[in-house]
Amino acid sequence: MKTAYTAVVLLVVMVVALPEAAGRQWQAGTWIQVGTKRTLFVGDPVHERLPPGLNRPQMTEVATYVIETDDRRYELQDLVAIGQSGLDLRVTVGKPVTFAIEKKTAYIKLDNGEYRLLVLKNERKKT
């Protein structure tokens, strides 16, 4: 009985999880711009380890990116502080990028996996 239950749970997890990654509509674009932004909405793990009197909320620097396709321009923001995800070291302006957009989340596909970014703007490219 325990084996059958485990098999059913495993099957349900596979059915739910696999189509999500496979169902993404990957598209090609170009890194146009890289920058930084200060925000209160992303925590800094180094600062959060400080004693209670010293870990007041601070503005954390996060990386921002702009990707352009033939007809769209996407402004993206990293979800972690600079230097935490490693994506900021792998981006080169002018190089191609493979990505997918799902609502307010952008998935960046690189050799070693995927990175999630927040979509700040999704607009038509100005001609």
Side-chain angles (χ1 to χ4, degrees), residues 10-112:
L10 183 60
L11 181 64
V12 168
V13 168
M14 287 175 40
V15 167
V16 170
L18 288 179
E20 185 175 318
R24 291 194 183 117
Q25 293 183 355
W26 296 102
Q27 47 187 322
T30 305
W31 296 110
I32 298 300
Q33 186 178 0
V34 177
T36 60
K37 180 179 179 180
R38 296 177 65 81
T39 181
L40 280 172
F41 301 111
V42 175
D44 183 3
V46 174
H47 184 263
E48 290 174 358
R49 291 187 198 127
L50 294 174
L54 300 173
N55 67 356
R56 288 174 277 152
Q58 284 189 337
M59 300 289 277
T60 303
E61 283 191 342
V62 294
T64 60
Y65 308 97
V66 176
I67 296 175
E68 281 190 357
T69 63
D70 292 337
D71 60 343
R72 309 269 330 153
R73 179 181 174 94
Y74 301 97
E75 292 185 26
L76 312 171
Q77 176 181 310
D78 209 339
L79 299 170
V80 295
I82 290 179
Q84 299 296 318
S85 71
L87 177 63
D88 49 343
L89 300 174
R90 302 178 60 91
V91 173
T92 305
V93 173
K95 295 286 185 179
V97 60
T98 303
F99 68 101
I101 302 292
E102 292 180 0
K103 297 182 182 178
K104 291 298 249 177
T105 304
Y107 297 93
I108 307 299
K109 190 177 203 180
L110 296 176
D111 298 337
N112 63 341

